[in-house]
Amino acid sequence: MIRIPAVAGSFYEADPVRLRKQIEWSFLHDLGPKSLPSVPQNKPPQRSNRFFVVPHAGYMYSGPVAAHAYYHLSLEGSPDTVIILGPNHTGLGSYVSIWHKGKWKTPLGEVSVDDEISLELVKLTEIIDIDERAHLYEHSIEVQIPFLQYLFGQNFKIVPIVIMMQTPDVAESLAEGIYKLVSSGKKDIVVLASSDLNNYEPHDKTIEKDNLAIDEIQKLDYKGLFRVVEEKDVTACGYGPIMTVLILAKKLGKKPYVLRHATSGDTSGDKSSVVGYLSVRFGD
């Protein structure tokens, strides 16, 4: 069972050579880390940065911001499994949908789904449905995979989970299941929360609204983030995934480090109607 890319050629380059150059452009951009990553051959005995927030727009807009998260992820070597939590933009599938086996294809090759971790998560949480429909046209998970392949080749597996029901209760259940897997130590697991921040308002207004959400992220207050989204009309699309990693970070004693905050206007130059982007690592 192979998942075919839905946004290659639009959100990122479809040609593998051009795609690698686009990813390198993201790392070297003024808004990016300004340096290409170098993945160590030997992983440290204990991974510090296990959870990340990373944006999911077209690379020409959000790539440099996303590159910060991937740069820090690269410093500690290839994880065994990357759980990617993304919002559901299409309305297809269940409230929480997992693609539980097979491979995902991108212009850089194929990456295997960790069927063992996927099925264990389904059992542990009791809220995840095995449902591929939610993933067929969804970009929030797909756009993360070429970055991972650029760093680690085929030396990792993924667990793709799309969340439609973005509530604190769902985040709590997901976080508890993932926490049990991470704490077991059976595999080296990293979790990516794929989300953009405020959508399609002027740059200054978006920065103002984004900062309300960032304040709650820095406090690891997942219920506070939910209130901000609901009450202050901060149109962050992946607040469910972010809430999940906030809970996980608090459970495992990780601190939030904001790596880069910018908008699409910072890369495109058009600040009349922008989308906010954020990279955060949660580490020691």
Side-chain angles (χ1 to χ4, degrees):
M1 187 164 64
I2 296 178
R3 195 269 188 185
I4 303 300
V7 294
S10 55
F11 278 61
Y12 57 86
E13 294 284 357
D15 175 78
V17 174
R18 287 175 148 183
L19 177 52
R20 286 185 178 277
K21 288 181 179 178
Q22 190 177 38
I23 291 170
E24 290 174 353
W25 169 85
S26 299
F27 281 108
L28 296 173
H29 194 278
D30 283 346
L31 291 173
K34 299 182 184 177
S35 179
L36 293 178
S38 179
V39 180
Q41 296 301 310
N42 298 314
K43 293 192 292 187
Q46 184 66 39
R47 184 176 294 275
S48 170
N49 300 296
R50 197 169 291 280
F51 313 117
F52 295 86
V53 174
V54 61
H56 58 231
Y59 287 10
M60 67 289 292
Y61 300 116
S62 68
V65 175
H68 283 273
Y70 288 109
Y71 188 87
H72 282 272
L73 175 57
S74 75
L75 297 176
E76 296 180 301
S78 176
D80 297 324
T81 301
V82 182
I83 299 174
I84 311 175
L85 306 174
N88 188 323
H89 291 88
T90 67
L92 298 173
S94 303
Y95 287 150
V96 183
S97 305
I98 195 168
W99 186 296
H100 75 296
K101 66 178 181 179
K103 295 184 177 183
W104 278 44
K105 186 176 183 179
T106 81
L108 299 185
E110 295 176 353
V111 59
S112 296
V113 175
D114 192 328
D115 56 346
E116 178 188 352
I117 293 294
S118 296
L119 292 175
E120 200 164 346
L121 258 183
V122 171
K123 293 175 184 175
L124 286 170
T125 64
E126 298 183 347
I127 62 166
I128 302 175
D129 290 326
I130 295 172
D131 191 338
E132 290 83 23
R133 292 173 301 161
H135 296 267
L136 292 176
Y137 309 107
E138 178 56 53
H139 66 272
S140 62
I141 291 174
E142 178 184 327
V143 298
Q144 311 305 341
I145 295 173
F147 267 102
L148 292 167
Q149 290 173 308
Y150 176 85
L151 295 177
F152 307 129
Q154 309 303 318
N155 298 322
F156 69 99
K157 293 183 178 181
I158 60 169
V159 175
I161 300 174
V162 166
I163 306 169
M164 186 188 303
M165 182 66 76
Q166 301 191 72
T167 64
D169 287 349
V170 168
E172 289 163 2
S173 181
L174 278 173
E176 184 60 29
I178 295 170
Y179 172 74
K180 289 175 181 175
L181 290 174
V182 171
S183 300
S184 73
K186 293 178 183 177
K187 291 190 176 182
D188 180 18
I189 296 174
V190 163
V191 184
L192 304 182
S194 178
S195 180
D196 296 338
L197 293 186
N198 197 62
N199 279 248
Y200 305 125
E201 292 193 84
H203 176 85
D204 291 345
K205 188 65 175 177
T206 288
I207 292 293
E208 178 187 326
K209 286 190 172 185
D210 283 359
N211 284 334
L212 295 175
I214 292 169
D215 286 346
E216 303 304 324
I217 290 170
Q218 290 181 312
K219 292 185 288 188
L220 299 180
D221 186 348
Y222 71 100
K223 290 184 178 178
L225 176 62
F226 185 74
R227 284 195 300 271
V228 162
V229 168
E230 291 289 305
E231 297 173 8
K232 302 297 183 181
D233 192 30
V234 179
T235 54
C237 49
Y239 57 99
I242 297 175
M243 286 193 292
T244 304
V245 297
L246 294 183
I247 297 167
L248 284 164
K250 198 160 191 175
K251 280 178 173 288
L252 288 166
K254 302 296 184 181
K255 298 176 183 177
Y257 298 90
V258 173
L259 303 173
R260 173 63 77 174
H261 174 216
T263 77
S264 56
D266 291 314
T267 49
S268 72
D270 181 0
K271 297 192 174 184
S272 61
S273 179
V274 306
V275 178
Y277 306 129
L278 179 69
S279 259
V280 184
R281 69 178 176 91
F282 299 85
D284 299 330

